[in-house]
Amino acid sequence: MKIIIPKMVFPQDSSGLYSSSFSIMGVHDDTHKANLKAYGGMIMDCVNEAFMFKYVDKNLWVSPDDEISQLQMVVESEKLLNNEKLVLVLDLDKTLLHTTKRSKYLKTPEELLQPKFKDSLFPVQPWAMMTKLRPFVHTFLKEASTMFELHICTMGKRDYASKMVEFLDPEKVYFKSRVITREDLVDSEEKSLDLVPRHKRTAIILDDNQHVWKHDQSNLILVKKYLYFNPKSATSIASFSALNTDEDETTGVLATILEKLKLIHRLFFNPKSKGGLVHRDVRSILAHLRVLQGCKLIFKGIFPPSLKPENSCLWLMAEELGAICSMDDVLTAFTHVVTWAATAEVSQQAELDKSILVHPRWLHACYDACKRYPEKDFQVELKN
């Protein structure tokens, strides 16, 4: 089967999607439209037996066999992995920003010059709307782009999404053409990683709505909704504008998620993590991160002085299970003491601290089963 490589066409080139590109193939527009059908997030050309990747870095028409599209995905995915990069798919509204049509929030040019609105509040023309960027978003995108290839996936229309991307990425360095919009979705009520031509095992999704990712839940990190403006309908949630405040730059949602993404990236590419790179899967890491979420571990008598604890397999295992690890029981409040054995004094102190003494085998068991086992099944031996 032949491969036809036409002029590059990306999702934002909506005017050319059903005209110039199809004319290149010598098919009348109306005839061609009648012979199109969706296939896995792409458009199938039934007349010429070719697919068009609507959303890739290099546009290709390929055979319906799908082997070539799979090969393209493998090549691009492996290229990213060789550069120690994963894939991050970002929602727009209420995840990275908040937009309103309510006239009461429209600002004058003078009001937009106020320091608290600098580089974060924008009028959206020609729709008479206002958009507020989530605090820390520019730093978030800058740092995340060093670890991830960034994509946008929104249910907003292309012209609106393009405007939002201008606010988020004015220098056009983060997203390039990697913006999926409502026009690209096979189902207007559902998003899918099938539209992202990369290995699913390398892709993480950030979205405030889990229900739109029906088939990709295991790749999703659910984000707390960002509500800067008051909604039209009555709600029990007070908006930031109503409270005359905003999320904190350093402790807000995006700052917290960035630290989680750094951990996932480190675990994925750490040579000491279980299994080789070819077997790593962000879905497995995300599942493990939920097992001991909220647990704060102190290690006692586990590591020899010559070993950096944070480089040990046990420490990495605990972090991958979502626990916070420390060697300092003075400055850190902790929930568990991980140790081989304990004296009566250590046991009494743990009881006073309302912490649990547990054997290292507990971490191994939790990791292998990807679930939290009762600590009582892994009790520590008491020394005389």
Side-chain angles (χ1 to χ4, degrees):
M1 285 250 182
K2 63 182 178 179
I3 304 175
I4 306 168
I5 306 179
K7 170 180 174 286
M8 292 179 71
V9 183
F10 295 111
Q12 61 265 38
D13 301 325
S14 54
S15 60
L17 191 56
Y18 296 109
S19 55
S20 60
S21 297
F22 295 152
S23 298
I24 289 173
M25 301 188 70
V27 180
H28 188 273
D29 289 354
D30 293 336
T31 303
H32 197 89
K33 285 181 190 178
N35 290 281
L36 291 177
K37 59 184 177 182
Y39 182 87
M42 295 174 280
I43 295 295
M44 182 174 179
D45 176 351
C46 303
V47 174
N48 292 280
E49 293 188 338
F51 288 129
M52 186 183 76
F53 280 98
K54 293 175 66 182
Y55 169 66
V56 287
D57 298 332
K58 296 179 181 177
N59 189 263
L60 290 174
W61 291 82
V62 301
S63 73
D65 182 294
D66 203 40
E67 288 184 9
I68 298 178
S69 62
Q70 288 293 321
L71 179 61
Q72 175 75 3
M73 180 186 70
V74 169
V75 169
E76 293 299 323
S77 296
E78 293 305 315
K79 192 186 299 181
L80 285 175
L81 290 175
N82 288 337
N83 291 324
E84 292 199 356
K85 277 196 170 186
L86 297 172
V87 175
L88 185 61
V89 182
L90 299 161
D91 173 50
L92 284 176
D93 293 286
K94 298 177 185 174
T95 297
L96 299 182
L97 50 85
H98 191 202
T99 298
T100 184
K101 294 180 180 180
R102 300 190 70 187
S103 58
K104 65 180 283 189
Y105 292 111
L106 301 183
K107 303 292 183 183
T108 65
E110 292 75 19
E111 288 177 307
L112 291 173
L113 293 175
Q114 296 178 40
K116 68 176 180 178
F117 295 142
K118 181 176 172 56
D119 298 326
S120 70
L121 189 65
F122 300 92
V124 186
Q125 302 299 340
W127 300 297
M129 299 190 295
M130 292 297 296
T131 290
K132 174 69 172 62
L133 301 188
R134 197 166 201 156
F136 196 72
V137 69
H138 289 301
T139 303
F140 174 85
L141 293 175
K142 182 179 179 179
E143 294 197 30
S145 68
T146 65
M147 302 176 287
F148 297 85
E149 179 184 73
L150 303 183
H151 298 241
I152 290 287
C153 185
T154 177
M155 287 185 165
K157 291 186 176 180
R158 185 165 296 125
D159 49 1
Y160 169 77
S162 297
K163 199 68 176 176
M164 298 302 104
V165 171
E166 284 181 25
F167 300 149
L168 293 166
D169 185 17
E171 302 298 322
K172 296 180 171 60
V173 295
Y174 301 135
F175 302 109
K176 302 188 186 304
S177 64
R178 298 186 295 270
V179 181
I180 303 170
T181 63
R182 176 176 288 273
E183 291 88 338
D184 305 308
L185 302 178
V186 176
D187 181 342
S188 62
E189 299 301 317
E190 183 179 342
K191 298 178 181 180
S192 173
L193 283 179
D194 289 342
L195 289 168
V196 182
R198 303 290 184 264
H199 284 314
K200 286 191 178 183
R201 72 181 184 90
T202 68
I204 295 173
I205 303 162
L206 294 188
D207 203 315
D208 67 282
N209 186 349
Q210 62 182 344
H211 304 296
V212 296
W213 295 97
K214 295 177 184 176
H215 303 292
D216 299 301
Q217 292 283 311
S218 55
N219 297 79
L220 175 68
I221 296 177
L222 189 63
V223 179
K224 182 180 179 181
K225 291 183 184 296
Y226 179 58
L227 299 172
Y228 183 78
F229 305 104
N230 272 350
K232 285 184 178 179
S233 57
T235 176
S236 59
I237 302 174
S239 69
F240 286 110
S241 59
L243 298 172
N244 196 28
T245 185
D246 208 343
E247 280 186 356
D248 189 88
E249 282 272 346
T250 56
T251 61
V253 170
L254 291 182
T256 303
I257 289 177
L258 180 62
E259 292 306 309
K260 186 171 187 176
L261 293 176
K262 287 178 180 178
L263 173 61
I264 293 169
H265 183 272
R266 181 160 61 87
L267 291 170
F268 191 98
F269 289 104
N270 194 307
K272 293 187 178 181
S273 293
K274 284 192 172 184
L277 194 60
V278 69
H279 301 296
R280 307 270 169 79
D281 193 321
V282 297
R283 293 168 292 193
S284 173
I285 293 175
L286 285 170
H288 277 91
L289 279 173
R290 300 182 185 106
V291 174
L292 298 184
Q293 192 170 1
C295 294
K296 298 179 181 180
L297 312 185
I298 292 289
F299 293 89
K300 283 186 175 291
I302 298 290
F303 309 115
S306 59
L307 177 67
K308 284 188 175 180
E310 59 270 22
N311 292 335
S312 72
C313 289
L314 196 63
W315 186 289
L316 286 170
M317 197 182 294
E319 284 193 324
E320 192 166 341
L321 289 168
I324 296 173
C325 302
S326 177
M327 294 290 291
D328 191 341
D329 59 357
V330 176
L331 300 178
T332 307
F334 53 92
T335 59
H336 294 73
V337 178
V338 182
T339 185
W340 301 111
T343 62
E345 183 182 355
V346 170
S347 178
Q348 289 170 3
Q349 187 60 49
E351 192 173 336
L352 288 172
D353 294 332
K354 295 183 179 179
S355 60
I356 304 170
L357 285 173
V358 68
H359 197 279
R361 286 196 305 270
W362 177 64
L363 291 175
H364 286 279
C366 292
Y367 188 92
D368 291 339
C370 197
K371 71 175 186 178
R372 182 170 175 173
Y373 279 106
E375 291 87 340
K376 64 181 177 61
D377 295 341
F378 300 87
Q379 292 183 9
V380 171
E381 179 185 346
L382 291 179
K383 296 188 295 186
N384 294 325

